[in-house]
Amino acid sequence: MKKTIHNFLLFSLFMFIGVLVVACATKSYINVNYRPPLSSYDFKGKKIFLELKDIRSVKTIFGEKAKTKFKNFTGLFLFSLPKGGKKNFVVGAFDLPSLFKTAFSRRLENMGIKVLTEPEKTEPVIEIDLKKFFLDLVDRKWVAEISYEARLIKNNKLLATETISGNAERFKMFSQSDAEKVLGEIFTDVVNKLDFGKLFQQAEL
């Protein structure tokens, strides 16, 4: 009986160590789950060319402490959308500018706006200037910050602008999933916060 209990305790210990090892292992990508607003099609018939510019003064994504937890990160983000239930639909892997462009394209399409693959002289351009994207560990918390400026342009004239920023934090546990959750939350918040209707109204389009 004592031997059985001893073996069980050893097995439990090895299982616990195994879980810790798996949890602490770093992935080569970061999963970002984006939750778009409900489809409205309020702007059905409009066309837009979407351009994303990375103008961050600091290109580093991680702070010093966060960097040690993402040693194998290749710069790619796995972009996923809610599918229903607990599972998410993986759209693809993107670098940072493409990640934002894909998310904003989804938002525009959900509003009924056609996103052009090439600019057209008669149609407006929405330019997203990414200013900050940063993740760090502060006092055992994942802290994320994102900011960008949206510019609506037509015929090379700036017609409307809006600056969006946000931050979020979450306690760090054993794995990178907590960092991915906080990034998914703030990413969803700042992308959905942009008021396209207000931009069109300011530009009188």
Side-chain angles (χ1 to χ4, degrees):
M1 181 68 177
K2 289 184 179 179
K3 186 176 181 181
T4 301
I5 295 175
H6 177 73
N7 289 339
F8 175 77
L9 289 174
L10 281 176
F11 175 76
S12 299
L13 178 61
F14 287 137
M15 286 293 293
F16 179 71
I17 293 173
V19 169
L20 284 179
V21 170
V22 172
C24 294
T26 61
K27 298 182 291 187
S28 60
Y29 61 88
I30 294 176
N31 181 60
V32 175
N33 183 36
Y34 171 58
R35 300 181 302 280
L38 295 175
S39 301
S40 64
Y41 299 101
D42 292 338
F43 298 91
K44 189 174 182 180
K46 284 188 177 294
K47 298 179 182 179
I48 283 288
F49 178 72
L50 179 63
E51 187 175 7
L52 200 299
K53 293 184 178 181
D54 186 356
I55 64 169
R56 290 174 297 151
S57 58
V58 178
K59 299 294 185 182
T60 304
I61 291 174
F62 306 112
E64 289 302 317
K65 288 187 178 180
K67 191 185 299 182
T68 63
K69 306 299 181 182
F70 289 88
K71 295 178 181 179
N72 297 323
F73 181 61
T74 59
L76 290 179
F77 295 83
L78 204 64
F79 181 70
S80 60
L81 297 166
K83 187 180 180 182
K86 295 183 178 180
K87 292 186 177 181
N88 296 320
F89 170 70
V90 178
V91 178
F94 305 94
D95 60 16
L96 190 58
S98 299
L99 175 73
F100 276 88
K101 187 171 184 178
T102 302
F104 279 113
S105 294
R106 290 275 176 169
R107 265 213 70 192
L108 290 165
E109 289 166 356
N110 280 356
M111 296 166 63
I113 299 172
K114 181 179 179 180
V115 180
L116 302 170
T117 56
E118 296 290 338
E120 295 182 4
K121 291 183 179 180
T122 58
E123 303 299 340
V125 174
I126 289 183
E127 181 182 291
I128 306 292
D129 293 341
L130 181 60
K131 293 184 173 182
K132 191 170 188 177
F133 188 96
F134 194 68
L135 177 70
D136 203 1
L137 264 174
V138 180
D139 297 328
R140 295 191 60 78
K141 288 182 180 179
W142 289 111
V143 178
E145 295 180 71
I146 299 175
S147 66
Y148 64 87
E149 181 181 20
R151 300 150 55 88
L152 198 155
I153 302 167
K154 188 174 182 181
N155 297 325
N156 295 320
K157 292 182 179 180
L158 177 62
L159 302 179
T161 66
E162 186 174 1
T163 299
I164 302 293
S165 63
N167 56 73
E169 62 181 39
R170 175 182 288 268
F171 277 107
K172 174 186 176 293
M173 299 299 284
F174 293 117
S175 69
Q176 290 174 296
S177 62
D178 297 291
E180 292 177 331
K181 287 176 182 177
V182 76
L183 277 178
E185 289 169 2
I186 186 175
F187 183 82
T188 294
D189 182 58
V190 297
V191 170
N192 291 348
K193 192 181 289 185
L194 179 58
D195 191 339
F196 286 107
K198 183 178 178 182
L199 287 178
F200 291 132
Q201 188 177 24
Q202 288 178 356
E204 299 181 352
L205 294 177

